Amino acid sequence: MATVSAGALKPNGNFNPPPSQFRSVISSESDSEFPAEPERYVLYIHYGCPWAHRANVVYRLNRLQPLIAFSAVSIHRDPDIGWTLNGTSGSDSIDPFYDFKYFRQLYEKAAPDYKGPYSVPVLWDRKRRRSGEILRMLSTSFDAFLEPQYREANKPVGGLLPDHLRGEIDDLNTWVQSNVSYGTYKCGMAKIQEDYDNAMTRLYESLDRLEKNLDGRKYSFGDHTTEADVRLYTTMVRYDIAYATIFNCNWKIIRYDYPNLHKWLRQLYWEVDDEAKGAFKGTTHFDTVSLAPNHHLVIPARLPMLLILKFMEGYANAAAGQKLVPWGSKVPIMPWDE
């Protein structure tokens, strides 16, 4: 769950998180201010946050583990201090490089006077203490250090961002971000019926458009995954289990009402194609039982297993007036049975 506050929802129902203050770029050029170098950078994520999840997918799609260090913060978020590192929910017990216990300390190391959200993902430069635009830097900047078969230029049709599709992918990404990724939050954080109705109308018009776009297509732009699929995936894989239950995006759900989107989602999650191996299912953590944020709950003995989704509490905190943490769906994603 990203660091999102109700203040990001404007009175007119628009959801506008504040822009990042750190927007430097890592480049493959040797004279760059932030050159691509092995073992120089660290990717920080939160397993529940869909925006951090995108970065983790590309990190693993491009086999960057030997080149870029990795650290995860806990699902636990102090309302005053922010995300913690305490060894729970797959997080590090302490920052692996600076011994920090709170994620905000990383921001304060980069800018002691920083005032703003302490959000993930962050791509941290251990030499110069900066973060920046992450997804595309992970896609291509480190190609020179990878085995040839993993380089973007050598992947089918040009990898995640083929030159001949760049404009269309950029347009779709911008539209998805505003209408779908943020659209779910606009529904969940609405405080009056009119804002909720407007947000729901726009969200489901957008889902209908995505469903139609996938008619006769395997992925958003054909037979291979692109950056557009990565960006949309991290919202869609949370839809039925979190957004439908917590954010009241429940007029229609993916598994029953959108057959094209449902097939597309399962193809990615179950990593049907070799090019997706280890990047989608392997980075989706809703199958982890985590009672830490709800330690007061008693699991009924008659239940074989209670799936407390590790990111559910964060969504409940973000939702307007949400007091309970729903269990979510018993089956978080349907099997691949095509």
Side-chain angles (χ1 to χ4, degrees), residues 115-128:
K115 301 295 181 184
Y118 306 101
S119 59
V120 287
V122 164
L123 191 57
W124 177 264
D125 184 352
R126 292 162 59 190
K127 289 186 178 180
R128 302 198 57 175

Side-chain angles (χ1 to χ4, degrees), residues 296-313:
H296 57 284
L297 295 179
V298 178
I299 303 177
R302 65 183 181 275
L303 293 181
M305 180 177 286
L306 177 59
L307 290 180
I308 304 290
L309 306 181
K310 65 197 302 185
F311 45 81
M312 293 290 270
E313 183 183 32

Side-chain angles (χ1 to χ4, degrees), residues 81-94:
I81 301 176
W83 303 118
T84 61
L85 294 104
N86 59 14
T88 64
S89 63
S91 74
D92 290 313
S93 58
I94 197 169

Side-chain angles (χ1 to χ4, degrees), residues 99-121:
D99 293 337
F100 294 150
K101 295 294 291 183
Y102 298 99
F103 188 57
R104 67 176 291 169
Q105 293 174 277
L106 196 71
Y107 274 80
E108 292 166 349
K109 185 175 179 66
D113 297 327
Y114 175 79
K115 301 295 181 184
Y118 306 101
S119 59
V120 287

Side-chain angles (χ1 to χ4, degrees), residues 116-157:
Y118 306 101
S119 59
V120 287
V122 164
L123 191 57
W124 177 264
D125 184 352
R126 292 162 59 190
K127 289 186 178 180
R128 302 198 57 175
R129 307 176 184 175
R130 297 294 298 273
S131 60
E133 299 289 351
I134 294 173
L135 210 61
R136 291 192 177 173
M137 289 186 282
L138 294 177
S139 293
T140 59
S141 296
F142 294 85
D143 267 12
F145 306 102
L146 297 171
E147 294 295 323
Q149 67 269 28
Y150 298 137
R151 296 175 186 173
E152 281 291 284
N154 297 334
K155 291 180 180 178
V157 199

